[in-house]
Amino acid sequence: MATEKTKPNLRASISFTPEQMAKKAAQEIKTLLEKNPYAVLGLATGSTPIPLYEELIRMHKAHEIDLTKPTYFNLDEYVGLPVEHPESYHSYMDKHFFNHIPGLNRLKVNILDGNAPDKEAECRHFEEKIDAAGGIDLQILGIGENGHIGFSEPGTPFTERTHLVELTESTRQANSRFFDGKIERVPTHALTMGLATIMDARKVILLASGPKKAESTYKAASGEVTEDLPASTLRNHPDVTFYVDRRAASHYPEYVKLFSSPEAVLR
Ligand code: F6R
């Protein structure tokens, strides 16, 4: 019988390397695009999805998928960084994904404007654009060491939609590696999709690689569903897969047991 701890809808795909993990996640996206080439994809930034973007670009160049057809919505953007700043999420997406898709119609790319004078209006407009596109078919997520998804930090109500957020010390510390290790250079605020926005996506894939993600990923997959751990809300999503590499899973015998099976339902 399904209980809070045994959601049959929560799939785990355990890989040995981040590259293998990326290939499996890319296959899920390919399957979606085969059914619906014009799907609406929700994208994440950070270190974790880079191998996934590389694999998707490889598939696009090999004509296995067509990345010019989907519409894209990004999870979040820093407040106050110029768009052309190398660490803005606009720059990240161009560098790791969009610049590698010749013929991409930029009107299909939606990234929050962290410099919009009226942040609330910007967030509302973003939600309206998602609605107008028919909702997100598949949302890609990373996970923070503190269990955040997007920039919805611990304590964020599950009901929140796209909003302005003050970043926690822990997130700014984690992201200071992109700002010469200097936390004071990391913006203090961001605009982010809310947890309710993410939960409205028809399909969610969460990627976690490396030992620093082991604890939050494990808690999200098997612990209490609580606003103290934003990613735990995914346990109530009808279609979510956790793609985890060996190092993000290695501390936990429960995960190790699943290594023999490439696709497994978390127990
Ligand atoms: C990125 C985002 C964040 C990251 C998370 C993990 O758009 O919203 O939630 O996914 O902070 O970041 P990395 O992958 O750099 O460890």
Side-chain angles (χ1 to χ4, degrees):
M1 196 181 80
T3 69
E4 205 62 340
K5 282 206 155 201
T6 58
K7 290 280 178 188
N9 51 309
L10 186 66
R11 291 180 299 276
S13 170
I14 318 290
S15 304
F16 280 91
T17 67
E19 290 70 29
Q20 288 167 347
M21 183 179 100
K23 281 194 189 335
K24 286 190 209 160
Q27 279 305 320
E28 181 162 351
I29 294 169
K30 182 179 179 202
T31 303
L32 173 75
L33 294 181
E34 278 163 2
K35 283 192 210 129
N36 177 9
Y38 292 92
V40 178
L41 299 181
L43 304 177
T45 58
S47 307
T48 315
I50 291 175
L52 171 61
Y53 295 141
E54 286 171 355
E55 175 63 6
L56 290 173
I57 290 161
R58 187 203 62 73
M59 287 171 142
H60 176 78
K61 289 188 173 154
H63 305 289
E64 294 169 25
I65 54 175
D66 182 352
L67 293 173
T68 64
K69 290 189 169 140
T71 296
Y72 301 99
F73 285 90
N74 257 81
L75 269 174
D76 43 18
E77 176 57 290
Y78 289 117
V79 165
L81 278 192
V83 165
E84 60 282 0
H85 188 287
E87 297 308 332
S88 80
Y89 287 169
H90 280 77
S91 295
Y92 170 104
M93 288 312 303
D94 281 350
K95 179 173 168 200
H96 294 290
F97 196 56
F98 296 131
N99 283 352
H100 306 277
I101 310 172
L104 175 73
N105 178 352
R106 290 277 167 165
L107 293 175
K108 286 174 170 280
V109 174
N110 300 280
I111 306 181
L112 283 153
D113 176 3
N115 295 302
D118 182 342
K119 307 282 186 283
E120 265 183 37
E122 172 63 12
C123 292
R124 249 191 341 266
H125 182 49
F126 192 72
E127 290 276 337
E128 285 162 7
K129 284 197 289 185
I130 294 175
D131 277 352
I136 294 173
D137 291 301
L138 183 148
Q139 178 65 53
I140 299 165
L141 298 174
I143 182 169
E145 291 167 40
N146 62 5
H148 74 211
I149 48 178
F151 273 135
S152 287
E153 299 283 19
T156 308
F158 285 162
T159 50
E160 194 92 75
R161 305 204 71 86
T162 302
H163 62 288
L164 172 69
V165 66
E166 181 170 1
L167 301 177
T168 60
E169 179 88 5
S170 121
T171 295
R172 293 180 66 230
Q173 191 63 53
N175 288 6
S176 64
R177 68 191 194 279
F178 300 117
F179 292 84
D180 302 325
K182 297 197 165 52
I183 188 168
E184 63 277 12
R185 292 196 187 161
V186 184
T188 55
H189 291 76
L191 301 183
T192 183
M193 272 187 208
L195 296 169
T197 320
I198 291 169
M199 289 293 277
D200 279 350
R202 286 181 269 280
K203 199 182 250 305
V204 174
I205 64 177
L206 180 138
L207 310 173
S209 55
K212 288 185 179 168
K213 304 302 174 60
E215 198 184 333
S216 57
T217 305
Y218 180 67
K219 279 193 193 152
S222 60
E224 195 192 337
V225 176
T226 164
E227 289 178 354
D228 292 340
L229 195 90
S232 68
T233 194
L234 298 174
R235 302 265 300 290
N236 290 324
H237 191 282
D239 185 351
V240 55
T241 306
F242 280 39
Y243 287 89
V244 185
D245 84 340
R246 187 178 54 170
R247 291 186 311 148
S250 61
H251 297 334
Y252 297 103
E254 287 88 334
Y255 273 136
V256 174
K257 273 190 236 149
L258 297 173
F259 278 154
S260 56
S261 132
E263 289 284 336
V265 174
L266 277 180
R267 287 174 285 241

